[in-house]
Amino acid sequence: MTKQELLQTARETLEANWRAPGFSVPSGRLYPFQWNWDSGFTSIGNAHINPQRALREMETLFTGQWANGMVPHIIFHSEKETTYFPNFDFWDTTVNAGAPQRPKTSGITQPAVHGFVLEHLLNTFPDDAATIATVKALFPRVVNSHRFLYIYRDPEREGLMFMYHPWETGRDNSPLWDASMDRIVIDKGTLPAYTRQDTKIAAADERPTADQYDRYVHQLELGKRNGYDGPGIFAESEILIQDTLMNALLIKSNASLIRIGQRFGFDVGELEEWQQQSTRAFQQKLWHEELQTFVPYDVRAGAQIAEREIGSFTALSAGIASDKQAKILNDYLQSLHDRGFYLCPSFDPDSPHFDSRRYWRGPIWPHMNWLIHDGLKNYGFGKMAEVVRNDAIHLIREFGFYEYFDCQKNTAPDLTQGYGGDQFSWTAACLIDLIET
Ligand code: GLC
């Protein structure tokens, strides 16, 4: 496929995934609604081909925002679509008076990408009236979504937000969460009956296991019992983790909002306070001295989660890493590259938990390459940034517009396609941005 053909397929993918009232499904069959952070990356790609849609996507996402500021991880724009579990009725967000009646939503959130996405759109079209108007209108809403995280997810005012459901991190079944997932005692008698839909569409060995799914449902029920924002979540949940990626992207978005606010003369005092505290806490609490990488902190266990995985590298894109730390992260990526891996595996290939096919336990996700490419460039590691960019483009060209890809070059000769869902929006969008910039 030539570069032009590749771009054309990416455009067609985004076109095919566009839906009323103005958003992109991540992948028509597997994920038939609007997903929070997917929409952010899709906007970045759409900015090159259909700027109006890029803005619209963000506006539509925020129609699902709750009164407490939370932007849910799924917005169920269609109530007739029943091929997904857990659907809106299972989430039952009526337990929180501030959840919108319509559109229906889930009850948890996802990484805070919106601040940096808005800045990206503004930088792409700095003088465009429609872009300026949308960014100005969404600015207070995005700030409010950060306020939600600082109020409800940081009860001890440390500057680091916690997650209590792995789906919030965007890295659903990463081995990072295994230990806290294992602490949950499942009582089959109280767990509501449910039927998974994902394994009807994608291969079961590329998806989370049945035991993991029971625990996801258990955490959903815990959230629901607590109105999805009550203090009981912090008090009761076995999963309470200050994640690298979630906090890094919050910090990255804070920085973007501060710059946007300064440009338009908005008050950024609160943002600056959050930012100072968060950057300091991230450095102090999430750098693992022995592993020489950033790791999440398990609040319930009172310990760092000592694993090498992809979230660490988002500290580069957020500008949190010192030059020395950035060089260490760059050298680690270089060593994986030298050993014949495509970049960037989502989990440490040397770990016993590594699984090259299963979702977030090893495979490569193109939007993560987008973030890491951005981060490496920020720190002047142009050579490695090019490898990360070219590997993403190569994998998509060879194996199609899939959700994720094998990172082992030696298994690649037997492979004919990527993993998970096909015709994937953020795969197409990130490809366009990686090629065009
Ligand atoms: C999976 C991914 C998550 C993504 C969603 C929709 O759940 O783990 O990051 O947002 O699919 O693409």
Side-chain angles (χ1 to χ4, degrees):
M1 237 194 229
T2 64
K3 197 163 92 180
Q4 284 320 315
E5 285 165 347
L6 206 55
L7 282 172
Q8 182 56 24
T9 310
R11 276 191 221 106
E12 285 163 10
T13 303
L14 291 184
E15 184 63 44
N17 288 350
W18 186 253
R19 299 280 186 280
F23 72 100
S24 307
V25 290
S27 173
R29 286 181 62 223
L30 196 56
Y31 303 114
F33 306 105
Q34 184 171 28
W35 259 258
N36 180 330
W37 75 322
D38 295 61
S39 277
F41 290 100
T42 304
S43 279
I44 287 173
N46 251 334
H48 293 278
I49 55 177
N50 196 328
Q52 219 189 331
R53 283 191 178 172
L55 297 173
R56 185 84 190 104
E57 178 105 39
M58 297 306 288
E59 286 169 350
T60 309
L61 178 68
F62 275 82
T63 62
Q65 186 172 30
W66 290 23
N68 63 13
M70 185 180 79
V71 185
H73 98 296
I74 305 175
I75 319 290
F76 297 99
H77 292 294
S78 162
E79 292 170 33
K80 295 198 190 91
E81 172 67 68
T82 54
T83 56
Y84 184 81
F85 175 83
N87 215 325
F88 71 90
D89 48 352
F90 202 87
W91 286 100
D92 187 15
T93 57
T94 58
V95 296
N96 186 304
Q101 280 283 330
R102 290 229 152 63
K104 302 282 191 223
T105 73
S106 71
I108 55 171
T109 191
Q110 259 191 338
V113 298
H114 323 102
F116 75 78
V117 171
L118 286 190
E119 188 184 30
H120 193 90
L121 299 180
L122 195 61
N123 288 346
T124 311
F125 306 103
D127 303 316
D128 175 62
T131 307
I132 292 172
T134 304
V135 170
K136 279 182 159 177
L138 286 180
F139 178 88
R141 300 186 132 227
V142 181
V143 174
N144 203 27
S145 71
H146 289 204
R147 198 173 289 122
F148 164 79
L149 299 173
Y150 284 107
I151 291 178
Y152 292 91
R153 299 305 186 84
D154 184 19
E156 305 198 322
R157 303 287 176 266
E158 285 183 70
L160 294 175
M161 57 149 300
F162 75 77
M163 69 81 168
Y164 72 96
H165 198 303
W167 292 344
E168 296 200 300
T169 68
R171 311 195 301 303
D172 304 18
N173 70 331
S174 167
L176 289 171
W177 329 129
D178 285 1
S180 48
M181 290 269 277
D182 287 348
R183 285 199 295 264
I184 298 171
V185 180
I186 293 289
D187 175 357
K188 287 274 189 194
T190 58
L191 203 68
Y194 69 92
T195 311
R196 282 175 75 165
Q197 301 283 348
D198 59 323
T199 41
K200 293 183 183 158
I201 298 167
D205 65 350
E206 295 167 18
R207 304 287 306 179
T209 64
D211 271 359
Q212 281 169 341
Y213 234 81
D214 276 354
R215 285 165 171 75
Y216 297 146
V217 172
H218 173 96
Q219 288 304 102
L220 187 161
E221 293 297 317
L222 182 143
K224 200 190 294 178
R225 258 200 323 280
N226 287 289
Y228 293 114
D229 65 4
I233 293 173
F234 188 69
E236 290 170 35
S237 179
E238 289 295 353
I239 305 182
L240 269 192
I241 292 171
Q242 291 162 325
D243 178 33
T244 42
L245 180 147
M246 290 197 90
N247 280 288
L249 297 192
L250 175 62
I251 289 170
K252 181 174 170 65
S253 280
N254 277 339
S256 291
L257 290 174
I258 290 170
R259 286 188 290 267
I260 295 173
Q262 282 164 344
R263 169 169 170 187
F264 295 122
F266 300 140
D267 182 4
V268 295
E270 188 183 23
L271 282 161
E272 279 173 339
E273 258 178 53
W274 291 335
Q275 187 67 336
Q276 266 182 14
Q277 207 198 1
S278 293
T279 334
R280 199 178 327 117
F282 194 105
Q283 264 295 352
Q284 281 173 357
K285 210 170 174 185
L286 305 188
W287 180 253
H288 194 286
E289 272 306 327
E290 207 177 307
L291 291 183
Q292 294 283 292
T293 192
F294 290 103
V295 298
Y297 189 86
D298 183 335
V299 178
R300 187 57 80 223
Q304 290 183 320
I305 301 175
E307 300 282 2
R308 284 204 173 82
E309 75 68 65
I310 198 150
S312 182
F313 301 98
T314 56
L316 299 175
S317 179
I320 303 164
S322 66
D323 287 346
K324 188 169 159 224
Q325 289 164 332
K327 179 164 184 325
I328 292 168
L329 296 178
N330 178 71
D331 290 351
Y332 173 70
L333 290 177
Q334 178 74 52
S335 72
L336 289 183
H337 175 66
D338 294 344
R339 286 167 58 194
F341 289 101
Y342 289 117
L343 298 182
C344 304
S346 47
F347 203 76
D348 177 6
D350 298 315
S351 159
H353 305 301
F354 174 78
D355 180 337
S356 70
R357 285 176 72 84
R358 207 181 282 273
Y359 225 30
W360 286 98
R361 304 177 83 88
I364 292 177
W365 294 71
H367 68 295
M368 293 304 300
N369 278 39
W370 186 94
L371 279 171
I372 295 167
H373 172 259
D374 175 64
L376 289 166
K377 263 195 333 192
N378 280 351
Y379 281 84
F381 294 114
K383 209 172 115 224
M384 193 49 52
E386 272 308 284
V387 174
V388 169
R389 174 176 178 270
N390 290 337
D391 278 0
I393 297 172
H394 171 82
L395 287 166
I396 298 167
R397 176 181 268 138
E398 284 294 304
F399 301 118
F401 284 73
Y402 278 86
E403 190 175 6
Y404 43 101
F405 300 88
D406 211 295
C407 62
Q408 305 180 115
K409 281 190 187 159
N410 56 1
T411 60
D414 302 329
L415 291 174
T416 52
Q417 58 182 51
Y419 298 143
D422 191 7
Q423 294 195 300
F424 226 84
S425 288
W426 63 12
T427 301
C430 290
L431 177 99
I432 294 173
D433 196 63
L434 285 171
I435 289 183
E436 299 286 9
T437 49

